[in-house]
Amino acid sequence: MAKQLTEPGMTVSLVESLQKKLDYDELMNCMRCGFCLPACPTFRETGLEAESPRGRIALMKAVVDGVMEPDHAFETQMDHCLGCRACEPACPAGVKYGQLIEQTRDAVEDHTVRHRWWVKSARKLAFEGLFPHPRRMRLLGGALKVYQKSGLQKLTRSTGVMNMFPDHMKNMENILPEASSAGVVKEIGVRHPAKGERIATV
């Protein structure tokens, strides 16, 4: 039931959040034709209707229409989507599925109790306080470079400190590329001259 996903003290339910955030017109654009099914990797893997874009849109609409309550199974189905949007070019109605899944996940994230408080806090810090700010990202890159070049990374790996962390964090640390404080500027530059007639500077 919806209350299972809603944290104590929250006055707005998940259903109300979905009703507010989801583009209902976009939900209605889905013709249930099934062209998206062979394009969807999770449907191809499982063969389950609920693991397809069409199925997930039907679940979203059922919740918004009040036909079903969003339970943990609903949250799981939304989480299983890879967000690859391979279904969008296959859709004859041009349904913006990526927009719908993002709006749904945003609403679910506000109400889920499956993530511990520190996980939600870390996500909020990263997605709102770090990633949108280039200067902070450059500072993070510089800190990672110090971590790699100072020998701290070798020490961390040799002493087994990373074994204290979950497997996914150990794996991320193992494949950490060479860091730089220059960020994406180092890769793509800061200015690209126009090809053809100049219209504006970006």
Side-chain angles (χ1 to χ4, degrees):
M1 293 176 64
K3 61 184 179 184
Q4 292 177 296
L5 293 183
T6 305
E7 293 182 336
M10 282 197 171
T11 56
V12 180
S13 71
L14 175 56
V15 176
E16 291 172 309
S17 289
L18 287 167
Q19 289 170 341
K20 187 183 295 183
K21 292 184 178 183
L22 274 170
D23 184 338
Y24 196 80
D25 289 338
E26 205 59 51
L27 284 176
M28 293 296 292
N29 281 343
C30 178
M31 303 183 300
R32 313 288 190 264
C33 66
F35 277 87
C36 60
L37 301 184
C40 177
T42 54
F43 177 79
R44 289 202 312 267
E45 185 68 24
T46 66
L48 299 173
E49 176 69 18
E51 295 277 10
S52 70
R54 179 176 70 177
R56 291 189 182 99
I57 289 173
L59 290 173
M60 295 172 196
K61 188 174 183 301
V63 170
V64 171
D65 288 344
V67 177
M68 68 171 277
E69 293 286 337
D71 55 10
H72 288 309
F74 173 83
E75 183 179 355
T76 300
Q77 294 301 344
M78 299 305 132
D79 282 346
H80 282 183
C81 175
L82 302 179
C84 66
R85 302 190 181 197
C87 54
E88 290 189 357
C91 178
V95 175
K96 297 174 183 173
Y97 173 79
Q99 172 186 311
L100 292 173
I101 193 69
E102 287 171 4
Q103 291 167 345
T104 301
R105 283 175 166 169
D106 185 35
V108 168
E109 184 64 24
D110 288 341
H111 294 272
T112 185
V113 293
R114 294 173 72 181
H115 302 150
R116 295 178 183 175
W117 68 267
W118 57 269
V119 173
K120 295 183 83 170
S121 298
R123 286 186 174 195
K124 186 177 180 67
L125 176 66
F127 290 114
E128 295 181 18
L130 189 61
F131 295 154
H133 304 281
R135 188 162 181 260
R136 295 175 191 174
M137 288 298 292
R138 287 194 294 272
L139 288 171
L140 176 63
L144 285 173
K145 186 173 183 179
V146 169
Y147 167 72
Q148 290 175 330
K149 300 296 183 184
S150 67
L152 190 57
Q153 184 178 45
K154 288 181 181 178
L155 181 65
T156 301
R157 291 177 175 178
S158 63
T159 57
V161 170
M162 289 307 299
N163 291 329
M164 297 169 58
F165 294 91
D167 287 342
H168 69 277
M169 290 187 71
K170 288 193 290 186
N171 293 336
M172 285 193 293
E173 199 280 336
N174 282 333
I175 61 171
L176 189 67
E178 185 177 341
S180 167
S181 59
V184 294
V185 172
K186 179 181 178 183
E187 300 296 326
I188 64 173
V190 292
R191 186 175 183 279
H192 295 272
K195 293 179 180 177
E197 184 183 354
R198 182 184 173 194
I199 299 172
T201 300
V202 179

